Amino acid sequence: MSDSDDDDIPRLSSHTLAALQEFYAEQKQQSDPGRDDKYNIGIIEENWLSQFWYSQETALRLAKEAIAAAGEGGRIACVSAPSVYQKLRALHREDFSVYIFEYDKRFAIYGEEFIFYDYNNPLDLPEKIAAHSFDIVIADPPYLSKECLRKTSETIKYLTQGKILLCTGAVMEEEAAKLLGVKMCKFIPKHTRTLGNEFRCYVNYDSGLDREI
């Protein structure tokens, strides 16, 4: 090839090349995050149509509540609540076990703790997930509808030994009470971006979230 042929090959500017390299690095990290970053909230990006991650403060508050409610050696189920699962694992504690029940298969990076879950088939769960085998279930139904809450409630009641921590819209208060016997807490959860509907937490046990002003 002659020098003149080389001159015809398009070349990227240094700025464009650096931006491209940064993009590929971000994509690689998202597909194969390192051990230290694996549980960071936001390492898996939100689907802006249906996913809303909790703020760091809210995820930590809910994670600590789950640990307290489960007790030492307790089992925690996070149903459609991946940022709580991530925060629980980011605490690097060994005194509880936790599973993430999630439709989004990107969360399969969490290995055996990931359980594929479709609320449309609320009891379609693997054999290793026994009935009433979790000390507490934290659930955040993916859609703000009575149908979604009703079907998710079937899963919750199957999994829990008793304790329930539900996060959903304030408009679902009456339906949540009817389906799960939960009451609205004083604690108000926050998300990384503003939602169009008021969001609240509900529990069916004596919770620290109800002592939050």
Side-chain angles (χ1 to χ4, degrees):
M1 182 180 290
S2 67
D3 291 341
S4 61
D5 290 333
D6 289 342
D7 292 338
D8 291 336
I9 298 174
R11 285 176 168 75
L12 299 175
S13 69
S14 57
H15 177 77
T16 302
L17 184 60
L20 191 61
Q21 289 172 335
E22 182 179 1
F23 170 78
Y24 283 129
E26 290 176 353
Q27 294 299 305
K28 183 179 185 301
Q29 185 181 43
Q30 289 175 19
S31 62
D32 183 26
R35 177 175 294 182
D36 293 339
D37 297 329
K38 190 175 182 179
Y39 298 110
N40 287 348
I41 295 174
I43 193 70
I44 295 175
E45 294 183 355
E46 296 170 310
N47 176 334
W48 279 51
L49 295 176
S50 61
Q51 292 176 323
F52 309 91
W53 301 159
Y54 296 127
S55 68
Q56 294 284 348
E57 294 78 14
T58 290
L60 180 60
R61 186 77 174 83
L62 296 179
K64 288 183 174 180
E65 173 64 25
I67 293 170
E72 186 174 356
R75 284 167 56 86
I76 302 169
C78 295
V79 178
S80 304
S83 46
V84 177
Y85 167 84
Q86 290 170 323
K87 184 58 70 175
L88 282 163
R89 277 293 169 235
L91 293 174
H92 299 295
R93 291 180 55 165
E94 303 296 332
D95 55 342
F96 62 84
S97 60
V98 59
Y99 283 87
I100 173 175
F101 295 76
E102 177 60 48
Y103 184 81
D104 188 341
K105 291 185 178 179
R106 293 180 297 169
F107 290 97
I109 63 171
Y110 299 129
E112 293 185 358
E113 291 181 344
F114 170 81
I115 305 295
F116 176 76
Y117 171 70
D118 181 353
Y119 80 88
N120 288 299
N121 301 294
L123 299 181
D124 185 9
L125 300 169
E127 291 184 2
K128 71 176 182 178
I129 302 299
H132 312 305
S133 58
F134 290 89
D135 295 282
I136 183 170
V137 175
I138 304 175
D140 184 344
Y143 297 103
L144 197 61
S145 72
K146 289 184 178 181
E147 179 199 21
C148 183
L149 179 57
R150 177 175 55 79
K151 290 182 176 179
T152 303
S153 294
E154 290 184 47
T155 309
I156 294 170
K157 288 186 283 189
Y158 176 82
L159 294 174
T160 188
Q161 293 180 5
K163 293 179 181 178
I164 298 168
L165 200 175
L166 175 72
C167 301
T168 188
V171 297
M172 305 304 289
E173 181 178 11
E174 184 177 338
E175 192 72 10
K178 182 172 68 175
L179 291 168
L180 295 168
V182 293
K183 295 182 179 181
M184 184 182 289
C185 299
K186 294 177 181 178
F187 174 73
I188 300 177
K190 303 294 184 183
H191 293 77
T192 54
R193 52 195 173 95
T194 304
L195 303 187
N197 297 285
E198 183 184 0
F199 210 79
R200 299 303 295 261
C201 293
Y202 305 82
V203 296
N204 67 341
Y205 62 95
D206 183 19
S207 166
L209 297 177
D210 209 33
R211 293 189 286 273
E212 188 82 19
I213 298 175

